[in-house]
Amino acid sequence: MTAKRPQPERLEGRYISLEPLRDEHMPALFAAIGHPQVFAGGYGGGPAGLSDTAEGFAEWARGYYPFASGIPYAVLLRGGPHDGEVIGTSSLADFDVENESTHIGWTAYAPQVWGTAVNAEAKLLLLGHAFDSGFGRVKIQADAINQRSRAAIAGIGAAFEGVLRRVRRRADGSWRDTAVYSILLEEWPDVRAGLEQRLAAQGGRPVLFRGLPD
């Protein structure tokens, strides 16, 4: 299949939906992910990259998320007492149509939904969108120090490719190493089955907020 750049569109799951990220999402996104716990592992350049105001966050977000090279999404809950609330973001970007390669990243969720169905279904939707668009390789990566994100990536079945050293500066001026993972088209059926099994274990119950982790 020849790859083609997907068009921005709403992606519907059972527990979440993904909407192309817009300016009107920014206040709610700041409320969801503007926590030290989210940036502690290197997200957004690390703790020094976290703004303490909604206005500063929105300005940072416009430069950080890959609006030019891809499709940033707002992640919204479906069902339950928090139906329709923005609880995170993820992006499908860096479309290399000729080589059938793309990248899922820039992912962060409210700490209150860590460990729920949110990440599994977001990955199911985005990976399905990528492979349905003809891509044969999807890269997923994280700051090498971010053990939580690395465990989540490996946990969905992505293959570890290695660590790229001294890739870019963090917000505090230190250098980031990047741990790189990927999923290939021929691996997708097994990865998809694993994600679907994890979601089925939720029993269709809406995602509820948990307490903030330490």
Side-chain angles (χ1 to χ4, degrees):
M1 181 187 296
T2 302
K4 60 181 180 181
R5 181 176 177 134
Q7 295 301 307
E9 60 184 272
R10 185 180 177 99
L11 305 178
E12 295 284 1
R14 187 172 186 178
Y15 302 97
I16 64 167
S17 59
L18 304 180
E19 290 184 358
L21 187 63
R22 303 184 300 274
D23 280 347
E24 52 262 41
H25 291 127
M26 293 302 178
L29 183 59
F30 174 63
I33 70 171
H35 300 285
Q37 298 97 319
V38 174
F39 284 70
Y43 184 77
L50 174 59
S51 174
D52 58 0
T53 68
E55 294 77 11
F57 174 86
E59 181 179 357
W60 165 84
R62 294 183 191 104
Y64 179 69
Y65 296 118
F67 290 98
S69 68
I71 310 170
Y73 293 92
V75 183
L76 294 80
L77 288 182
R78 296 192 67 188
H82 304 288
D83 181 58
E85 291 190 25
V86 174
I87 46 80
T89 183
S90 193
S91 296
L92 186 60
D94 297 341
F95 301 117
D96 183 346
V97 173
E98 181 178 357
N99 292 305
E100 299 180 351
S101 178
T102 187
H103 175 194
I104 293 174
W106 301 268
T107 302
Y109 307 111
Q112 296 95 326
V113 300
W114 289 356
T116 68
V118 169
N119 185 56
E121 188 157 62
K123 291 298 189 292
L124 183 67
L125 292 170
L126 290 172
L127 286 165
H129 199 39
F131 290 122
D132 287 348
S133 297
F135 290 93
R137 176 179 183 269
V138 178
K139 178 178 70 173
I140 310 175
Q141 62 187 31
D143 190 314
I145 68 172
N146 194 334
Q147 295 303 319
R148 181 186 296 274
S149 290
R150 293 185 62 176
I153 296 168
I156 68 171
F160 177 57
E161 294 187 340
V163 174
L164 302 178
R165 300 182 296 168
R166 205 175 188 269
V167 173
R168 67 172 63 90
R169 287 191 186 275
R170 300 187 182 97
D172 64 1
S174 63
W175 286 97
R176 163 178 160 149
D177 296 340
T178 296
V180 180
Y181 301 76
S182 68
I183 298 170
L184 304 183
L185 178 61
E186 54 267 31
E187 298 163 345
W188 171 228
D190 287 340
V191 171
R192 179 177 57 206
L195 291 170
E196 290 174 342
Q197 183 176 18
R198 288 169 60 179
L199 293 171
Q202 301 295 317
R205 296 180 296 274
V207 173
L208 302 177
F209 284 3
R210 303 178 175 184
L212 282 171
D214 296 331

